[in-house]
Amino acid sequence: MMTKSLLALPLLATLLAAPQFVFAKQQTVALNVPTMDCATCPITIKAALSKVPGVAKVKVSYEKREAVIVYDDAQATVADLKKATEDVGYPAMLKISR
C-alpha cells in the first residue's frame, strides 16, 4: 500500500511544477445587453456566447436585457464574452450588482 503512495509523489510533483498547470475556477457573470429589441435576439446572443471556449452555461433574458454566463476563468475572460456579443451586433457591459 505504501508503495503506491510513494509512486504517486513524483507524478504529483511534476504536475505542480508544470507552468501550464492552472487551477481553473468556474465564474458566473451577468452582462447587460441593452440593445436587445426583439424576442429572437436572445437566441443569437446565446449562440454567440456558447461558442466561447470555456463557457459552460448561458441564460439570456429578453425581459431583463441581460445574459448570465457560467464559464471557466482559465479559458475565457469577461472581455471574451463581451466581444462575442459585440461581434453579433449586441454590445454588452458588465452588470454591477448593488
Side-chain angles (χ1 to χ4, degrees), residues 37-78:
D37 58 4
C38 70
T40 59
C41 294
I43 296 167
T44 303
I45 294 166
K46 182 174 183 174
L49 288 166
S50 296
K51 291 178 184 177
V52 175
V55 170
K57 185 177 177 184
V58 179
K59 183 178 179 186
V60 182
S61 170
Y62 170 67
E63 293 79 18
K64 294 180 180 180
R65 307 284 195 285
E66 78 174 6
V68 178
I69 307 103
V70 177
Y71 67 99
D72 179 334
D73 69 356
Q75 296 181 36
T77 64
V78 173

Side-chain angles (χ1 to χ4, degrees), residues 3-19:
T3 315
K4 288 182 181 179
S5 297
L6 292 175
L7 291 175
L9 285 176
L11 176 61
L12 180 60
T14 301
L15 289 174
L16 291 175

